[in-house]
Amino acid sequence: MAPLLLSTLTSSSRGQQPLLLVQSSTAQSCLPVVQYVVRQADSNPIAGSILLFCLLYAPSAFVKDTPENVRVFDWTHNVPGYAEDALDVKEEMLRTVRDAPPGPLTAVIDSVDTLLSDLGSLARTERFLSELLSAIRARPSPSRLVLHVVAPSRIIPALMHTRLSPILLHIIAHPTALILHLATAYLTMPPPLSPPEKFWSVFLPIAERHYESEKLVFGPGGEGSGGREFVVEVLVRGADGPGRRRGVERVLEGWSGIPACGSPCELSQLESLKGLWTRKVVEESGPDPTKNLSFNLNLTIEQQQSRAQVPLPYAHEGKQARTSAAPAAILYDPDSADDIDDDDPDEDLDI
């Protein structure tokens, strides 16, 4: 079965999510996913034209040689208030989308945090993205708006709200060190090695505390960022083609950076996490303590039945047993050293 991320990124059906939110963090970049989206849209003959708006990273971080159907806008040097010929990013981006050639359109914005800084208002940025998404939705399928954001960011809740889009594909990158930490410190394996309900109840609160991942990656013993593989949390909200019911679906998958920018894969295919699956097999099989012994410790069925019929000894067998109707009693067997005297020790007192 193909990974959910692969099926949603390459889908060209009318159920495709028009809004794709790609979330990076300090501990793990999600830029390879954005590269993959641009590459897939370029290789898809029905994807139409692609608009790449670069506000944070240089265009070389997404495309090497600019394809014919990809238009790149390098606005990394456009800083309102500092550049003399600064552009009005909001108006220029809307005009570019509306004037794009007829047909499907994929617009990629990197990053929304920089866009928020340029516009200077959270409400203004939200209204602009809603207007931009409406212009893209008016185009034939498979048109899509791809937003790259770096967490923690105060605009993420607004991007995930249903008032912007009830249908959403949210991709969050996590370092593999976080999964290994949960398996070691919390004894919680990723699904299907553990029940999904148990895993998500532990994973989500820790993943939302971004300093936890930063400490695992950059702290003592951390390997640093820039790994060629990482873990992808995929959240699909709304309908996704025929046969899929409306709702929220959340899965955890892998991203392998070999070759080029990489591609989605199963979590068990990541080299750094294969030890979890090996450990699970060993735990399920377990070592056999009776193996390679010179004598047999196992019992036959007849021996087990005979052992079950042996009566257990009781210290007070034959005495009155305690029942619900009988009063409670203490049964005591005196020891040889006990000094038990039935006489009254106070009989010589004149009371």
Side-chain angles (χ1 to χ4, degrees):
M1 182 178 178
L4 175 63
L5 180 58
L6 180 62
S7 63
T8 52
L9 290 181
T10 59
S11 175
S12 59
S13 64
R14 296 195 61 84
Q16 181 194 42
Q17 287 76 10
L19 178 61
L20 169 58
L21 179 59
V22 182
Q23 180 175 325
S24 298
S25 65
T26 307
Q28 182 59 61
S29 173
C30 207
L31 286 182
V33 178
V34 183
Q35 298 174 11
Y36 184 85
V37 171
V38 176
R39 188 179 62 183
Q40 289 294 319
D42 176 52
S43 60
N44 188 355
I46 65 173
S49 55
I50 306 170
L51 302 177
L52 177 58
F53 301 98
C54 297
L55 304 176
L56 179 61
Y57 292 96
S60 58
F62 305 97
V63 290
K64 300 302 180 183
D65 300 324
T66 306
E68 182 179 353
N69 64 331
V70 178
R71 293 184 60 192
V72 178
F73 300 86
D74 187 1
W75 293 343
T76 55
H77 302 290
N78 184 73
V79 182
Y82 292 89
E84 295 181 357
D85 54 347
L87 298 173
D88 187 343
V89 175
K90 175 177 176 292
E91 295 299 330
E92 188 69 17
M93 201 174 292
L94 276 173
R95 184 191 62 79
T96 304
V97 170
R98 290 167 178 167
D99 295 345
L105 176 66
T106 299
V108 182
I109 301 178
D110 167 61
S111 71
V112 182
D113 306 279
T114 309
L115 180 64
L116 172 62
S117 178
D118 291 345
L119 297 182
S121 168
L122 182 62
R124 186 182 180 189
T125 304
E126 185 179 358
R127 288 194 300 269
F128 164 66
L129 291 177
S130 178
E131 187 177 358
L132 188 65
L133 182 59
S134 299
I136 293 178
R137 278 177 170 168
R139 289 177 167 268
S141 181
S143 297
R144 170 179 279 175
L145 175 62
V146 182
L147 304 177
H148 179 227
V149 63
V150 181
S153 174
R154 61 192 181 102
I155 199 174
I156 292 180
L159 299 178
M160 295 184 60
H161 202 281
T162 54
R163 65 172 172 263
L164 179 62
S165 175
I167 302 176
L168 172 68
L169 174 58
H170 189 187
I171 301 173
I172 309 173
H174 301 284
T176 56
L178 179 59
I179 304 301
L180 295 175
H181 174 67
L182 293 179
T184 304
Y186 296 88
L187 301 179
T188 304
M189 304 286 190
L193 301 183
S194 65
E197 296 79 8
K198 174 186 176 182
F199 174 79
W200 292 115
S201 63
V202 177
F203 174 82
L204 291 177
I206 297 179
E208 291 175 355
R209 300 194 295 265
H210 299 284
Y211 63 86
E212 294 277 2
S213 298
E214 294 176 6
K215 182 172 60 176
L216 293 172
V217 174
F218 302 110
E223 299 181 356
S225 60
R228 304 190 67 178
E229 59 181 22
F230 53 91
V231 177
V232 180
E233 178 186 348
V234 185
L235 186 146
V236 181
R237 184 179 70 199
D240 183 32
R244 188 183 299 276
R245 66 170 181 263
R246 288 183 175 271
V248 177
E249 183 176 359
R250 189 191 302 269
V251 298
L252 207 64
E253 296 180 353
W255 189 277
S256 176
I258 304 174
C261 63
S263 60
C265 66
E266 295 291 341
L267 205 60
S268 57
Q269 297 177 357
L270 297 180
E271 291 292 335
S272 55
L273 298 183
K274 284 186 176 180
L276 298 181
W277 271 259
T278 304
R279 184 192 311 176
K280 184 64 176 181
V281 172
V282 173
E283 290 177 354
E284 289 180 348
S285 59
D288 186 4
T290 64
K291 187 177 181 181
N292 299 327
L293 295 179
S294 59
F295 49 89
N296 185 19
L297 293 179
N298 297 321
L299 299 178
T300 63
I301 298 179
E302 292 77 9
Q303 291 172 335
Q304 294 176 3
Q305 293 176 350
S306 300
R307 185 178 66 175
Q309 295 173 359
V310 175
L312 298 177
Y314 293 94
H316 304 283
E317 185 176 3
K319 296 184 179 181
Q320 182 180 5
R322 178 182 177 182
T323 62
S324 58
I330 298 177
L331 302 177
Y332 175 69
D333 288 335
D335 189 77
S336 60
D338 291 344
D339 184 12
I340 300 178
D341 189 358
D342 294 334
D343 296 336
D344 185 3
D346 299 328
E347 62 181 358
D348 58 336
L349 300 178
D350 187 11
I351 299 176

